[in-house]
Amino acid sequence: MVKYSEEIDIRGHYTDLEGRLIMKSLCDLFNDVANVQTYALKIDVPTLNEQGLTWMLHKLHILINRMPEQGENVTLETWPSGIDRLFAIRDFRMVAGEEVLLRATSEWMVIDVNRRRPVRLPACVTETAAFCVDGIREIPFELDTKKMPIDFESTRRFTATYDNIDFNKHVTQATYVRWVTNSLSYEFLKDHEITELEIIYEHEVLPDSVVCAGCHVEEEENRVKVYHQVRNESLDKTHCFAVSYWKKR
């Protein structure tokens, strides 16, 4: 298996008011280590751009045992973990010593830059996948967008500002996660910690767009389940669906 790992110090600006790593920062770190490995494997964005192509995230599923805290030193690992039709799969794992803090899997498409549509994975990607050892997928993708609730009781509006935009000239995947979690109230977030997030990216968000992030909360026996939907300002396009699970602090 081709695996890349990096030691990371959890700095204050990565964390919330309790000193725990926030989801948006975690997703930024995922991108950082994945980016380093794509360069090493020669499947990086500039290489794809030469063919008129680029990477775009489609799905992300994160399982959290414990978020690291400010001042901790952790190791973040990533590796390409297979191919599923038009999608390249990439997994992540964060550890502190022998303790597994969290695990994640992600599903990526290769997009035609001009047409903004997915294409067959190029040879440089499929050949890299051949170096990976096939294994049982520990983290499945489970979110069914056809079974989302009809009503989202709480909605907040956000604007796609300059610092939300990435190399593809659209909003970063981590910004979607920030909007999803920030659709919940301050009172909820200070009393709960996230244990799981699954998100499906449907449509890109362009600079200066206004989006509406809605949530629907369901109390379960030992946790809280929250459905999320981020739509455009006119509410006729969904940019992403998500579900998150939370426990009392």
Side-chain angles (χ1 to χ4, degrees), residues 17-246:
L17 62 103
E18 299 287 342
R20 296 185 180 89
L21 182 68
I22 59 174
M23 289 297 293
K24 195 270 184 185
S25 296
L26 174 63
C27 292
D28 282 332
L29 292 172
F30 283 166
N31 277 355
D32 288 345
V33 295
N35 188 52
V36 172
Q37 191 177 45
T38 60
Y39 272 92
L41 297 174
K42 296 181 171 35
I43 53 173
D44 53 279
V45 169
T47 297
L48 292 184
N49 284 170
E50 292 174 1
Q51 305 173 56
L53 307 172
T54 191
W55 285 111
M56 196 172 292
L57 183 61
H58 182 229
K59 293 181 180 180
L60 177 65
H61 192 180
I62 307 170
L63 300 177
I64 302 161
N65 297 320
R66 176 178 71 83
M67 277 294 201
E69 299 180 1
Q70 181 177 346
E72 273 195 89
N73 178 268
V74 301
T75 300
L76 182 56
E77 304 169 335
T78 188
W79 61 95
S81 52
I83 300 292
D84 183 6
R85 298 168 293 142
L86 291 178
F87 304 108
I89 313 300
R90 172 170 289 277
D91 284 10
F92 301 88
R93 192 173 79 128
M94 181 179 284
V95 299
E98 298 298 316
E99 180 186 6
V100 178
L101 300 180
L102 56 90
R103 297 173 295 136
T105 192
S106 58
E107 188 176 86
W108 297 77
M109 300 179 290
V110 172
I111 300 292
D112 183 299
V113 171
N114 294 318
R115 297 175 62 236
R116 312 302 278 185
R117 296 182 64 83
V119 298
R120 287 184 177 276
L121 296 174
C124 60
V125 174
T126 56
E127 289 169 4
T128 296
F131 289 98
C132 303
V133 176
D134 291 334
I136 298 173
R137 294 290 301 283
E138 294 183 3
I139 309 175
F141 293 112
E142 299 173 320
L143 178 58
D144 185 348
T145 59
K146 295 179 181 179
K147 296 181 179 179
M148 298 292 286
I150 298 174
D151 298 318
F152 291 82
E153 296 80 10
S154 176
T155 301
R156 288 187 173 178
R157 292 159 62 90
F158 301 95
T159 300
T161 54
Y162 179 83
D163 58 350
N164 299 149
I165 307 304
D166 67 9
F167 51 82
N168 285 323
K169 308 298 190 297
H170 64 196
V171 166
T172 70
Q173 60 95 350
T175 298
Y176 283 76
V177 171
R178 169 178 275 170
W179 291 339
V180 162
T181 53
N182 283 342
S183 66
L184 291 158
S185 71
Y186 170 81
E187 289 300 319
F188 180 91
L189 292 173
K190 76 179 180 63
D191 293 336
H192 294 80
E193 56 185 281
I194 193 167
T195 60
E196 183 176 352
L197 173 71
E198 184 172 1
I199 183 168
I200 299 177
Y201 298 87
E202 293 282 344
H203 293 98
E204 62 184 347
V205 179
L206 300 178
D208 291 330
S209 298
V210 175
V211 299
C212 300
C215 60
H216 171 78
V217 179
E218 295 183 355
E219 296 280 349
E220 297 188 345
E221 186 175 353
N222 296 313
R223 62 181 184 175
V224 180
K225 181 178 185 179
V226 185
Y227 291 98
H228 306 268
Q229 185 180 42
V230 176
R231 293 184 290 175
N232 63 350
E233 190 173 17
S234 57
L235 305 181
D236 59 3
K237 179 187 288 187
T238 298
H239 293 291
C240 77
F241 296 100
V243 63
S244 60
Y245 295 89
W246 306 75

